[in-house]
Amino acid sequence: GENVEQHPSTLSVQEGDSAVIKCTYSDSASNYFPWYKQELGKRPQLIIDIRSNVGEKKDQRIAVTLNKTAKHFSLHITETQPEDSAVYFCAARYSGAGSYQLTFGKGTKLSVIP
Amino acid sequence: DSGVTQTPKHLITATGQRVTLRCSPRSGDLSVYWYQQSLDQGLQFLIQYYNGEERAKGNILERFSAQQFPDLHSELNLSSLELGDSALYFCASSVALAGDTQYFGPGTRLTVL
């Protein structure tokens, strides 16, 4: 099965700085990589995703990059704001034998210091 | 609000008991996924149903079972509960079998005493 490693587990940045979270995956058959943001006590919410035929995707202050060869993908948040403070999860979707499950990393707790 | 609903919001029970968690997917979504989130394990995929049929199984214990009904709502049954089963249980839904975007429900917090 798929295995997703996520680093760092905690990240503190000053407001206005950039934050980068990195993930690696193990199965080259994985083809879809979403990022979820989870605020305390709330549901995970999709913030951006990328498919294996794309190398980079941007949405305002958030960007994701994918390196298929190295099997890693990263989340970049620029001009961080206090409301960006949350736990961020990366995931990889394994597609094989009719199964399309997401495997999640263990999460990164991002704290943006005003 | 993602459009996915889960009941109950909180559940407190004792070891050895059995509980049922319920999930209603977004209108039009055929796939339902169940996840367990505990403090030290992150989000663990349990099981996926698509249009009433089981399609994928993850780290789901034999004491746990699920089903998806003709109206597409799903239930997760947890039996012979242990202290370690205390966790947040999320349901998510997507449009298709290989649905890219999974929309998560608000979760059910299960506490086993």
Side-chain angles (χ1 to χ4, degrees), chain A residues 32 34 36 38 41-46 49 51 89 93 95 97-106, chain B residues 1-2 4 33 35 37 40-41 43 45 48 55-58 90 97-102 104-106:
Chain A
Y32 172 67
Y36 283 83
Q38 186 178 27
K42 300 206 172 167
R43 74 189 80 199
Q45 289 189 290
L46 179 73
D49 56 14
R51 288 166 182 75
F89 292 95
R93 186 185 67 189
S95 297
S99 169
Y100 299 93
Q101 62 194 70
L102 286 178
T103 300
F104 284 84
K106 288 193 182 291
Chain B
D1 186 0
S2 65
V4 180
Y33 312 79
Y35 293 90
Q37 186 176 39
D40 57 345
Q41 291 296 321
L43 277 160
F45 168 73
Q48 177 197 7
R55 294 308 300 257
K57 248 181 175 176
F90 286 104
L97 174 61
D100 286 347
T101 303
Q102 292 188 21
F104 280 76

Side-chain angles (χ1 to χ4, degrees), chain A residues 43-45, chain B residues 1-5 24-27 29 91-93 102-106:
Chain A
R43 74 189 80 199
Q45 289 189 290
Chain B
D1 186 0
S2 65
V4 180
T5 60
S24 291
R26 292 187 327 149
S27 177
D29 284 1
C91 156
S93 73
Q102 292 188 21
Y103 296 91
F104 280 76

Side-chain angles (χ1 to χ4, degrees), chain B residues 2 8 21 23-25 32 45 58 60 65-66 69-70 75-77 84 99 112:
Chain B
S2 65
L21 314 183
C23 166
S24 291
V32 169
F45 168 73
I60 188 165
S65 65
F69 295 86
E75 292 181 357
L76 179 68
N77 300 295
V112 182

Side-chain angles (χ1 to χ4, degrees), chain A residues 27-53:
Chain A
D27 199 316
S28 55
S30 291
N31 60 7
Y32 172 67
F33 307 92
W35 285 88
Y36 283 83
K37 175 183 179 182
Q38 186 178 27
E39 295 174 359
L40 192 61
K42 300 206 172 167
R43 74 189 80 199
Q45 289 189 290
L46 179 73
I47 56 171
I48 196 167
D49 56 14
I50 192 167
R51 288 166 182 75
S52 56
N53 59 346

Side-chain angles (χ1 to χ4, degrees), chain B residues 3-72:
Chain B
V4 180
T5 60
Q6 287 187 249
T7 56
K9 195 169 182 178
H10 300 280
L11 200 48
I12 301 174
T13 188
T15 54
Q17 295 299 304
R18 172 190 167 96
V19 297
T20 297
L21 314 183
R22 183 188 168 104
C23 166
S24 291
R26 292 187 327 149
S27 177
D29 284 1
L30 299 179
S31 267
V32 169
Y33 312 79
W34 285 98
Y35 293 90
Q36 179 191 57
Q37 186 176 39
S38 50
L39 278 173
D40 57 345
Q41 291 296 321
L43 277 160
Q44 297 280 317
F45 168 73
L46 296 178
I47 198 164
Q48 177 197 7
Y49 278 82
Y50 175 74
N51 205 20
E53 292 187 10
E54 181 186 307
R55 294 308 300 257
K57 248 181 175 176
N59 300 318
I60 188 165
L61 300 171
E62 284 191 13
R63 301 183 284 108
F64 296 1
S65 65
Q67 54 184 323
Q68 187 180 28
F69 295 86
D71 67 353
L72 301 176

